[in-house]
Amino acid sequence: MSRVLRALRSPQVRAGFMLAALAAACWAVAKNWVEVRDAIGRLDVMEVGVSLALSFAFVWATMRAWRVLLNDAGAPISPVPARRIFYVSQVAKYLPGGVWNFVAAAEMGADHQITRRRSVTVLLTSMLVSVVSGLALAVLAFVVGPAGLLGRYWWVLAILPVFAAILHPAILNRLIGAGLSLLRRAGLERPMSAPAIGRAAVWSAGAWLLAGAQVWVILVGLGSPPRVDTYVLVVSAYALAWVVGFLIFFIPAGVGVREVVLGVALAGLISRGDIVVVILLSRLLFTLADLALGLGASAAITRRKEAR
């Protein structure tokens, strides 16, 4: 195990890891480029620019939710290294396997005296917060969406109280302690607190609103009416689609699942073909934001090392 950790810390392995992650992210963009190009051709420059800016804002808000929990679980880390750790680790999620962003966050965190168990635990907890806040917003889809939506996805309402209960500090900290004990690891420096979980949930809800706004701008550009009720429906429908795709974990990245859920939720608003285009373009813009922020953070780390 020690040899593996030493190898992961080597500059050559880290550079190769980053290059592989970048290649995977670029492939995610390229494989759907024809459909995305056609969609961009139907939008004006302003709409694409606003959607991309909202993608950057979404990643930033997600980082803030993660940092709140990271600082709650141990010694605080300042904003600059926190952003670098998060943004670079987000690029790693495009590698096949679904675990490489955890590996990247753990190894980069170790450079700043953040224990690996803290990095992995906080990233898992931040994902749980994102799921719960997404589930809460998804409930709106059953109110403002088509009547058949509740009949198909009623189980979302059933699991929301369960996931929300897990976030209660008494339950969450007990589960974290049991998990670390099972892995024969020491506990976190500090237990998760209710105020920190609450602040992270607020940032996470803000991230969902930004993600929904990104999709709404694209929809409006494709001909959907620019109304507030449409925005509410899009935010809640997108949250529902993302959460369902996330929970059906045996389908990589929820591919196909999100399209189906959005198709049901937005039925009558736009065509099925446009829904697929919206998802592809939305994913492209989020990927570009991840790439730009990850590359920027990686370059900043390199410059910092060279300046020493």
Side-chain angles (χ1 to χ4, degrees):
M1 186 65 180
S2 61
R3 290 181 180 179
V4 173
L5 292 177
R6 281 197 300 271
L8 288 172
R9 295 187 192 111
S10 71
Q12 295 82 5
V13 171
R14 289 192 174 188
F17 181 87
M18 186 63 183
L19 287 173
L22 288 172
C26 289
W27 171 247
V29 172
K31 69 179 181 179
N32 296 310
W33 179 246
V34 174
E35 293 89 346
V36 169
R37 183 191 60 198
D38 293 341
I40 292 175
R42 296 165 61 188
L43 303 171
D44 61 38
V45 175
M46 181 64 71
E47 289 162 345
V48 175
V50 170
S51 297
L52 182 58
L54 288 167
S55 303
F56 277 95
F58 165 78
V59 180
W60 172 78
T62 305
M63 181 276 299
R64 290 300 302 265
W66 165 83
R67 183 171 171 251
V68 166
L69 296 172
L70 184 70
N71 287 347
D72 188 55
I77 181 170
S78 59
V80 173
R83 287 196 296 268
R84 290 172 181 170
I85 292 170
F86 185 82
Y87 292 152
V88 172
S89 68
Q90 286 301 287
V91 178
K93 72 185 179 184
Y94 293 98
L95 286 170
V99 299
W100 298 109
N101 54 325
F102 290 93
V103 174
E107 290 307 312
M108 292 188 66
D111 293 341
H112 297 276
Q113 290 72 56
I114 301 172
T115 62
R116 291 176 179 83
R117 64 181 182 277
R118 177 178 161 198
S119 291
V120 172
T121 300
V122 166
L123 195 52
L124 281 170
T125 304
S126 69
M127 292 173 67
L128 177 60
V129 170
S130 183
V131 168
V132 171
S133 59
L135 284 169
L137 284 172
V139 172
L140 287 173
F142 300 127
V143 178
V144 298
L149 197 62
L150 180 59
R152 296 185 66 166
Y153 301 107
W154 59 268
W155 52 270
V156 169
L157 293 177
I159 64 174
L160 174 56
V162 177
F163 278 82
I166 292 174
L167 277 181
H168 190 284
I171 298 174
L172 179 63
N173 288 313
R174 182 166 295 184
L175 289 174
I176 290 172
L180 292 173
S181 177
L182 187 64
L183 295 172
R184 298 182 180 179
R185 296 289 186 269
L188 296 177
E189 293 95 313
R190 292 199 299 261
M192 298 283 189
S193 68
I197 294 171
R199 290 196 303 274
V202 170
W203 278 111
S204 184
W208 282 117
L209 295 177
L210 289 166
Q214 183 240 48
V215 177
W216 181 74
V217 169
I218 297 171
L219 279 172
V220 170
L222 293 175
S224 181
R227 300 199 308 256
V228 174
D229 59 334
T230 304
Y231 170 69
V232 173
L233 174 59
V234 170
V235 170
S236 57
Y238 185 81
L240 176 65
W242 187 93
V243 170
V244 172
F246 178 83
L247 293 176
I248 302 179
F249 58 87
F250 49 85
I251 298 179
V255 174
V257 177
R258 295 177 189 174
E259 288 83 351
V260 170
V261 178
L262 269 182
V264 175
L266 302 180
L269 196 61
I270 58 174
S271 68
R272 288 294 183 95
D274 276 355
I275 288 172
V276 175
V277 168
V278 166
I279 292 238
L280 291 175
L281 182 54
S282 174
R283 284 183 174 178
L284 168 69
L285 295 176
F286 282 133
T287 302
L288 289 177
D290 281 333
L291 275 172
L293 292 170
L295 281 172
S298 182
I301 293 170
T302 302
R303 287 195 301 269
R304 181 169 169 262
K305 290 180 178 179
E306 290 175 348
R308 289 179 177 176

